[in-house]
């Protein structure tokens, strides 16, 4: 199906049906997390933003994130053994990109080893 045809068909959907479709596509994206760090960051962002629909490609800024929110995320990530700064959260913007620059602590390594 050509993408123009798909776009036209999506535009005809009601807002409620589009919301369901977006939610379903996020669930698929969540299943595609490529690392335990991405999966943990998804969990943290969902808790901080109180939004179960967040996936790895969602923009921190579009979700309403600001400097205070970035500090909350950084503190929770640190407690989980993921080393990221508030600045990295603001600059990298998505979980997908943030996971690439995140460091980990010994606590994270032990935790991942225990679940393997």
């Amino acid at each position: 199906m050509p993408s123009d045809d798909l776009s036209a068909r999506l535009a005809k959907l009601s807002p409620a049906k589009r919301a369901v479709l977006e939610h379903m596509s996020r669930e698929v994206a969540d299943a595609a997390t490529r690392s335990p760090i991405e999966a943990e960051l998804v969990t943290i962002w969902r808790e901080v933003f109180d939004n179960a629909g967040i996936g790895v490609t969602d923009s921190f800024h579009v979700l309403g994130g600001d400097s205070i929110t970035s500090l909350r995320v950084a503190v929770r990530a640190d407690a989980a053994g993921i080393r990221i700064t508030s600045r990295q959260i603001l600059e990298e913007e998505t979980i997908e990109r943030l996971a690439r620059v995140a460091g980990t602590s010994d606590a994270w390594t032990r935790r991942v080893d225990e679940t393997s």
Side-chain angles (χ1 to χ4, degrees):
M1 179 180 331
S3 62
D4 291 340
D5 185 37
L6 179 59
S7 296
R9 291 177 71 187
L10 289 172
K12 291 178 184 178
L13 292 175
S14 70
K17 287 182 180 178
R18 271 197 304 265
V20 168
L21 185 59
E22 287 173 10
H23 178 73
M24 289 171 55
S25 67
R26 281 201 177 105
E27 286 180 351
V28 169
D30 291 344
T33 56
R34 291 174 293 275
S35 72
I37 292 176
E38 281 186 357
E40 185 65 28
L41 289 173
V42 165
T43 300
I44 291 168
W45 282 33
R46 286 178 175 180
E47 291 171 358
V48 169
F49 285 103
D50 192 27
N51 180 341
I54 293 174
V56 297
T57 59
D58 286 319
S59 165
F60 182 80
H61 303 292
V62 171
L63 291 168
D66 57 17
S67 58
I68 300 299
T69 309
S70 71
L71 290 170
R72 292 177 63 211
V73 169
V75 167
R76 288 182 187 218
D78 186 63
I82 301 171
R83 302 289 181 244
I84 52 175
T85 65
S86 174
R87 182 180 184 139
Q88 286 172 315
I89 295 165
L90 295 168
E91 289 177 353
E92 298 302 330
E93 195 171 340
T94 67
I95 290 169
E96 183 178 51
R97 289 176 41 192
L98 190 56
R100 292 184 204 148
V101 299
T104 57
S105 68
D106 291 339
W108 173 261
T109 304
R110 283 191 300 275
R111 186 170 155 212
V112 171
D113 288 344
E114 289 171 3
T115 60
S116 299

